[in-house]
Amino acid sequence: MANSLLGKLLTAFLLVVVITLSITVLATTHLFGSYYTTEKQRELTERGHSIADVIASELESQPATGLLPIARGLSGYFGERVLILDRRGMALSAGHQGMGMGRRQSVLAEGDVARLLKGEVVSHTAFDPRLSTTVLAVAVPILVNNQTEGTVLMVAPLADIEATVSAVRRISFYTAGLALLLAGVIGFLISRSITRPIREISQATELMAKGDFQRRVENNSGDEIGQLARNFNQLAANLDHTLSALNREKHKIGKMERLRRDFVADVSHELRTPLTSVHGIIEGMLDGVIDEKQARNQYLPLAYRETSRMNRLIQNLLDLSRLEAGNHTWEIHAVDLGEAVSRVLSRLQPQIADADVEVRVNVPADLPPIPANEERLEQVLTNLVSNAVHYSPPSGIIDIETKMGPGERITVFVRDDGPGIPEKDLPYIWERFYRVDKSRSRNAGGTGLGLAIVKEIIEAHGGTVQVESAPGRGSTFSFTLPLHRETENPGADPDRAPRGY
Ligand SMILES: Nc1ncnc2c1ncn2[C@@H]1O[C@H](COP(=O)(O)OP(=O)(O)OP(=O)(O)O)[C@@H](O)[C@H]1O
Ligand SMILES: [Mg+2]
């Protein structure tokens, strides 16, 4: 407590109050005492003057009488606290017993006698052992024709003054004690109101140091402490926000690292399978296990298929990496969708005929042109239609349709009545190398990159991709593109940060 801020504040507060009160009490009692003594002095001087005047007029009216008989005659009136002295300071009247009566020696000091002879009033305070109290003595000269003929010495004990002063001091001390108590309570409350929020902030910073940024300090006051609390809360909120963002970033980096590793593993696997098979064929031929006839009829066509798949795989990988890096510079033109579909279908004609499927195109002639890179848009259509052809049953029907809206957008659908895709696979269908039926797709020559390329191209055009499918009910792949582009060069989109493998 003594070392705490509360203790220090309280001590300082009480110290100031104690010092102030002490000064006030001392000054008050001192002033009170000196005022009282001065008043007494003035009163004694006045009385001394009137006695001196009476004696002086007696002396003036009967000059022959002398001071002694007058003094003796008057002594009964004044009591023992008034003494008549001669010019040398010897007591003449039978006044105060303690003033050296009867011993014929000066009651006053030499200096005082000299001052009285000059006509001055002399006054002193001194301790009187007989009365056991401090007394005030005032000596007033008896002036006859401006000549000092004697002295009236007035003595008054200051005991009652002292008693009064000490009573005043006592009352002052009680009052000071009470004030101190009140000051202590008020000081404690004020100090606590200051230190409590500081303590709260201190506790919150301790929690912060342990990584907890949730604690806030409650303080709505408008003073500096309130401001400090608000600033602290703001700081904690900012740190919390930054830290969460950093954590998210860390998580994202971790995820990207995992993706990169998966990708390398996938690519290696995809390349190893056809390479192994080609390697086996060549080895068999070299060893003579495969004869020339077998090789020409069976194994060389297989090696050809494998190498062309590898070729396609590498081509697709290059495409994808260029798309994901975002550094492609395409030219965007107004593309007539109907014409693009016709070109794609005529190129896929051999596969369509092979699969024995019917493709129905329902693209309105008055469809507005789409701002896109023609080659890339055709690549998207090719990938979607070739998938549909590939997965359609014999005599299956493929529909290519369009829909306007919502807003200035167009959606293109490619629908087939193939086997469909299980719901659990739908979220992953756009990922690289993801295949629903792995062996079947790979054996059929698929690289598993077609849909990933579609997604990248469409998103680079500011569009979105969707899929709707259920097992046994066919699949509908679609993409939506804006009919107006803000930037003519999708590759220059700064928000699309390059993605690394
Ligand atoms: N129309 C479809 N009907 C059913 N499944 C489909 C259809 N289109 C795609 N898929 C599934 O999605 C997977 C990924 O398709 P994607 O086009 O990316 O690769 P792929 O067709 O196997 O290979 P590639 O297109 O590179 O030759 C396919 O392997 C298949 O399982
Ligand atoms: Mg495909």
PDB file of all heavy atoms in Angstrom, residues 367-368 402-413 479-481 483:
ATOM      1  N   LEU A 367     -28.615 -11.707 -79.154  1.00  0.00           N
ATOM      2  CA  LEU A 367     -27.866 -11.626 -77.891  1.00  0.00           C
ATOM      3  C   LEU A 367     -26.779 -10.557 -77.997  1.00  0.00           C
ATOM      4  O   LEU A 367     -26.043 -10.520 -78.983  1.00  0.00           O
ATOM      5  CB  LEU A 367     -27.208 -12.994 -77.632  1.00  0.00           C
ATOM      6  CG  LEU A 367     -26.790 -13.258 -76.191  1.00  0.00           C
ATOM      7  CD1 LEU A 367     -28.005 -13.526 -75.321  1.00  0.00           C
ATOM      8  CD2 LEU A 367     -25.842 -14.442 -76.153  1.00  0.00           C
ATOM      9  N   PRO A 368     -26.672  -9.687 -76.984  1.00  0.00           N
ATOM     10  CA  PRO A 368     -25.610  -8.666 -77.073  1.00  0.00           C
ATOM     11  C   PRO A 368     -24.223  -9.326 -77.031  1.00  0.00           C
ATOM     12  O   PRO A 368     -24.070 -10.379 -76.407  1.00  0.00           O
ATOM     13  CB  PRO A 368     -25.826  -7.790 -75.828  1.00  0.00           C
ATOM     14  CG  PRO A 368     -26.683  -8.583 -74.929  1.00  0.00           C
ATOM     15  CD  PRO A 368     -27.454  -9.563 -75.755  1.00  0.00           C
ATOM     16  N   THR A 402     -28.630 -19.796 -72.945  1.00  0.00           N
ATOM     17  CA  THR A 402     -28.169 -18.544 -72.286  1.00  0.00           C
ATOM     18  C   THR A 402     -29.337 -17.924 -71.539  1.00  0.00           C
ATOM     19  O   THR A 402     -30.504 -18.223 -71.827  1.00  0.00           O
ATOM     20  CB  THR A 402     -27.681 -17.517 -73.325  1.00  0.00           C
ATOM     21  OG1 THR A 402     -28.738 -17.261 -74.232  1.00  0.00           O
ATOM     22  CG2 THR A 402     -26.457 -18.002 -74.057  1.00  0.00           C
ATOM     23  N   LYS A 403     -28.999 -17.089 -70.582  1.00  0.00           N
ATOM     24  CA  LYS A 403     -30.036 -16.357 -69.838  1.00  0.00           C
ATOM     25  C   LYS A 403     -29.496 -14.978 -69.502  1.00  0.00           C
ATOM     26  O   LYS A 403     -28.354 -14.851 -69.066  1.00  0.00           O
ATOM     27  CB  LYS A 403     -30.378 -17.114 -68.556  1.00  0.00           C
ATOM     28  CG  LYS A 403     -31.638 -16.643 -67.884  1.00  0.00           C
ATOM     29  CD  LYS A 403     -31.885 -17.389 -66.597  1.00  0.00           C
ATOM     30  CE  LYS A 403     -31.655 -16.442 -65.423  1.00  0.00           C
ATOM     31  NZ  LYS A 403     -31.582 -17.063 -64.156  1.00  0.00           N
ATOM     32  N   MET A 404     -30.313 -13.938 -69.702  1.00  0.00           N
ATOM     33  CA  MET A 404     -29.865 -12.582 -69.376  1.00  0.00           C
ATOM     34  C   MET A 404     -30.158 -12.285 -67.901  1.00  0.00           C
ATOM     35  O   MET A 404     -31.144 -12.745 -67.349  1.00  0.00           O
ATOM     36  CB  MET A 404     -30.601 -11.558 -70.244  1.00  0.00           C
ATOM     37  CG  MET A 404     -30.249 -11.642 -71.708  1.00  0.00           C
ATOM     38  SD  MET A 404     -28.487 -11.360 -71.986  1.00  0.00           S
ATOM     39  CE  MET A 404     -28.390  -9.623 -71.591  1.00  0.00           C
ATOM     40  N   GLY A 405     -29.317 -11.451 -67.316  1.00  0.00           N
ATOM     41  CA  GLY A 405     -29.541 -11.007 -65.946  1.00  0.00           C
ATOM     42  C   GLY A 405     -28.986 -11.981 -64.938  1.00  0.00           C
ATOM     43  O   GLY A 405     -28.508 -13.055 -65.308  1.00  0.00           O
ATOM     44  N   PRO A 406     -29.032 -11.680 -63.651  1.00  0.00           N
ATOM     45  CA  PRO A 406     -29.557 -10.403 -63.119  1.00  0.00           C
ATOM     46  C   PRO A 406     -28.598  -9.250 -63.407  1.00  0.00           C
ATOM     47  O   PRO A 406     -27.385  -9.445 -63.419  1.00  0.00           O
ATOM     48  CB  PRO A 406     -29.660 -10.674 -61.613  1.00  0.00           C
ATOM     49  CG  PRO A 406     -28.631 -11.724 -61.340  1.00  0.00           C
ATOM     50  CD  PRO A 406     -28.512 -12.556 -62.598  1.00  0.00           C
ATOM     51  N   GLY A 407     -29.192  -8.092 -63.638  1.00  0.00           N
ATOM     52  CA  GLY A 407     -28.372  -6.913 -63.976  1.00  0.00           C
ATOM     53  C   GLY A 407     -27.810  -7.066 -65.376  1.00  0.00           C
ATOM     54  O   GLY A 407     -28.320  -7.830 -66.198  1.00  0.00           O
ATOM     55  N   GLU A 408     -26.756  -6.384 -65.629  1.00  0.00           N
ATOM     56  CA  GLU A 408     -26.128  -6.409 -66.948  1.00  0.00           C
ATOM     57  C   GLU A 408     -25.202  -7.616 -67.054  1.00  0.00           C
ATOM     58  O   GLU A 408     -23.989  -7.452 -67.181  1.00  0.00           O
ATOM     59  CB  GLU A 408     -25.330  -5.113 -67.152  1.00  0.00           C
ATOM     60  CG  GLU A 408     -26.176  -3.858 -67.192  1.00  0.00           C
ATOM     61  CD  GLU A 408     -26.863  -3.691 -68.544  1.00  0.00           C
ATOM     62  OE1 GLU A 408     -27.969  -4.251 -68.731  1.00  0.00           O
ATOM     63  OE2 GLU A 408     -26.289  -3.027 -69.406  1.00  0.00           O
ATOM     64  N   ARG A 409     -25.761  -8.780 -66.919  1.00  0.00           N
ATOM     65  CA  ARG A 409     -24.939  -9.996 -66.945  1.00  0.00           C
ATOM     66  C   ARG A 409     -25.598 -11.049 -67.817  1.00  0.00           C
ATOM     67  O   ARG A 409     -26.808 -11.035 -68.019  1.00  0.00           O
ATOM     68  CB  ARG A 409     -24.758 -10.552 -65.525  1.00  0.00           C
ATOM     69  CG  ARG A 409     -24.106  -9.577 -64.580  1.00  0.00           C
ATOM     70  CD  ARG A 409     -24.124 -10.081 -63.165  1.00  0.00           C
ATOM     71  NE  ARG A 409     -22.979 -10.944 -62.882  1.00  0.00           N
ATOM     72  CZ  ARG A 409     -21.759 -10.506 -62.638  1.00  0.00           C
ATOM     73  NH1 ARG A 409     -21.518  -9.207 -62.648  1.00  0.00           N
ATOM     74  NH2 ARG A 409     -20.779 -11.332 -62.411  1.00  0.00           N
ATOM     75  N   ILE A 410     -24.776 -11.959 -68.268  1.00  0.00           N
ATOM     76  CA  ILE A 410     -25.315 -13.069 -69.073  1.00  0.00           C
ATOM     77  C   ILE A 410     -24.795 -14.377 -68.508  1.00  0.00           C
ATOM     78  O   ILE A 410     -23.634 -14.455 -68.072  1.00  0.00           O
ATOM     79  CB  ILE A 410     -24.937 -12.903 -70.573  1.00  0.00           C
ATOM     80  CG1 ILE A 410     -25.566 -14.037 -71.380  1.00  0.00           C
ATOM     81  CG2 ILE A 410     -23.421 -12.889 -70.780  1.00  0.00           C
ATOM     82  CD1 ILE A 410     -25.494 -13.767 -72.877  1.00  0.00           C
ATOM     83  N   THR A 411     -25.677 -15.398 -68.476  1.00  0.00           N
ATOM     84  CA  THR A 411     -25.253 -16.709 -67.981  1.00  0.00           C
ATOM     85  C   THR A 411     -25.355 -17.717 -69.127  1.00  0.00           C
ATOM     86  O   THR A 411     -26.346 -17.727 -69.860  1.00  0.00           O
ATOM     87  CB  THR A 411     -26.134 -17.141 -66.797  1.00  0.00           C
ATOM     88  OG1 THR A 411     -26.075 -16.121 -65.805  1.00  0.00           O
ATOM     89  CG2 THR A 411     -25.627 -18.441 -66.177  1.00  0.00           C
ATOM     90  N   VAL A 412     -24.306 -18.519 -69.253  1.00  0.00           N
ATOM     91  CA  VAL A 412     -24.284 -19.546 -70.300  1.00  0.00           C
ATOM     92  C   VAL A 412     -24.322 -20.920 -69.623  1.00  0.00           C
ATOM     93  O   VAL A 412     -23.526 -21.174 -68.715  1.00  0.00           O
ATOM     94  CB  VAL A 412     -23.004 -19.410 -71.165  1.00  0.00           C
ATOM     95  CG1 VAL A 412     -22.990 -20.464 -72.269  1.00  0.00           C
ATOM     96  CG2 VAL A 412     -22.897 -18.010 -71.754  1.00  0.00           C
ATOM     97  N   PHE A 413     -25.280 -21.759 -70.042  1.00  0.00           N
ATOM     98  CA  PHE A 413     -25.438 -23.087 -69.425  1.00  0.00           C
ATOM     99  C   PHE A 413     -25.004 -24.174 -70.393  1.00  0.00           C
ATOM    100  O   PHE A 413     -25.293 -24.103 -71.584  1.00  0.00           O
ATOM    101  CB  PHE A 413     -26.910 -23.354 -69.090  1.00  0.00           C
ATOM    102  CG  PHE A 413     -27.503 -22.348 -68.145  1.00  0.00           C
ATOM    103  CD1 PHE A 413     -28.072 -21.164 -68.624  1.00  0.00           C
ATOM    104  CD2 PHE A 413     -27.508 -22.582 -66.785  1.00  0.00           C
ATOM    105  CE1 PHE A 413     -28.629 -20.241 -67.771  1.00  0.00           C
ATOM    106  CE2 PHE A 413     -28.067 -21.664 -65.918  1.00  0.00           C
ATOM    107  CZ  PHE A 413     -28.631 -20.486 -66.404  1.00  0.00           C
ATOM    108  N   PHE A 479     -21.625 -20.445 -66.458  1.00  0.00           N
ATOM    109  CA  PHE A 479     -20.788 -19.308 -66.050  1.00  0.00           C
ATOM    110  C   PHE A 479     -21.523 -18.009 -66.370  1.00  0.00           C
ATOM    111  O   PHE A 479     -22.310 -17.951 -67.309  1.00  0.00           O
ATOM    112  CB  PHE A 479     -19.399 -19.345 -66.720  1.00  0.00           C
ATOM    113  CG  PHE A 479     -19.424 -19.324 -68.215  1.00  0.00           C
ATOM    114  CD1 PHE A 479     -19.420 -18.118 -68.914  1.00  0.00           C
ATOM    115  CD2 PHE A 479     -19.450 -20.532 -68.947  1.00  0.00           C
ATOM    116  CE1 PHE A 479     -19.422 -18.114 -70.300  1.00  0.00           C
ATOM    117  CE2 PHE A 479     -19.460 -20.525 -70.323  1.00  0.00           C
ATOM    118  CZ  PHE A 479     -19.447 -19.310 -71.018  1.00  0.00           C
ATOM    119  N   THR A 480     -21.294 -17.007 -65.507  1.00  0.00           N
ATOM    120  CA  THR A 480     -21.955 -15.711 -65.668  1.00  0.00           C
ATOM    121  C   THR A 480     -20.887 -14.659 -65.919  1.00  0.00           C
ATOM    122  O   THR A 480     -19.891 -14.600 -65.198  1.00  0.00           O
ATOM    123  CB  THR A 480     -22.730 -15.361 -64.376  1.00  0.00           C
ATOM    124  OG1 THR A 480     -23.609 -16.442 -64.094  1.00  0.00           O
ATOM    125  CG2 THR A 480     -23.538 -14.083 -64.530  1.00  0.00           C
ATOM    126  N   LEU A 481     -21.107 -13.845 -66.964  1.00  0.00           N
ATOM    127  CA  LEU A 481     -20.122 -12.798 -67.292  1.00  0.00           C
ATOM    128  C   LEU A 481     -20.802 -11.437 -67.341  1.00  0.00           C
ATOM    129  O   LEU A 481     -21.969 -11.333 -67.742  1.00  0.00           O
ATOM    130  CB  LEU A 481     -19.496 -13.079 -68.660  1.00  0.00           C
ATOM    131  CG  LEU A 481     -18.455 -14.186 -68.721  1.00  0.00           C
ATOM    132  CD1 LEU A 481     -18.049 -14.419 -70.165  1.00  0.00           C
ATOM    133  CD2 LEU A 481     -17.232 -13.835 -67.884  1.00  0.00           C
ATOM    134  N   LEU A 483     -21.725  -7.831 -68.886  1.00  0.00           N
ATOM    135  CA  LEU A 483     -21.811  -7.373 -70.275  1.00  0.00           C
ATOM    136  C   LEU A 483     -21.020  -6.082 -70.502  1.00  0.00           C
ATOM    137  O   LEU A 483     -20.853  -5.643 -71.629  1.00  0.00           O
ATOM    138  CB  LEU A 483     -23.271  -7.166 -70.669  1.00  0.00           C
ATOM    139  CG  LEU A 483     -24.020  -8.463 -70.950  1.00  0.00           C
ATOM    140  CD1 LEU A 483     -25.501  -8.206 -71.154  1.00  0.00           C
ATOM    141  CD2 LEU A 483     -23.430  -9.178 -72.169  1.00  0.00           C
TER     142      LEU A 483
END
